[in-house]
Amino acid sequence: MVVLATTAVPDHLRGALSRWMIEVTPGLFVGTLSAKVRDELWTTASAVVGDGAAVLLHSDNTEQGYSIRTAGERRRRPIDFDGLTLVAMSPQEPTDTTPDGIWPEGW
């Protein structure tokens, strides 16, 4: 099984993905694909993702039983930790919203 989640991607990519997979909710595609078709779809998706993002999960011969691929810049990114894939959160950079350069309370 293959799961591909997209965020803010071009409509033509969603149309191409829907030829091979079912879009169960906007931006979330699920299907049973061969490795060749999966890899070709991922190559296409990662090339045209633009300012959006895409995450591909597929069955694999790993300790967890799946692999994760990502394209685009988001706060969450997969990292390898001794053979296990974990998701790291990048720190969110606060924006300076005060005229004197003092950070708002809670930052």
Side-chain angles (χ1 to χ4, degrees):
M1 176 171 288
V2 176
V3 177
L4 199 152
T6 61
T7 304
V9 296
D11 287 337
H12 67 86
L13 175 59
R14 291 178 61 196
L17 293 172
S18 67
R19 291 183 186 118
W20 295 92
M21 306 170 83
I22 295 172
E23 188 173 13
V24 295
T25 189
L28 183 64
F29 298 87
V30 178
T32 303
L33 309 171
S34 69
K36 174 79 172 161
V37 171
R38 178 196 70 219
D39 292 342
E40 289 295 324
L41 284 175
W42 180 248
T43 300
T44 301
S46 59
V48 299
V49 75
D51 292 334
V55 178
L56 176 77
L57 294 109
H58 63 89
S59 301
D60 203 357
N61 190 20
T62 65
E63 195 68 32
Q64 292 170 301
Y66 61 88
S67 289
I68 300 174
R69 300 182 201 179
T70 62
E73 291 296 321
R74 292 293 183 251
R75 286 189 62 201
R76 299 172 196 260
R77 57 184 168 73
I79 58 169
D80 182 79
F81 185 78
D82 289 337
L84 295 176
T85 301
L86 303 177
V87 177
M89 293 286 289
S90 300
Q92 185 177 23
E93 296 183 27
T95 56
D96 181 8
T97 58
T98 60
D100 58 0
I102 299 172
W103 293 111
E105 178 113 10
W107 291 101

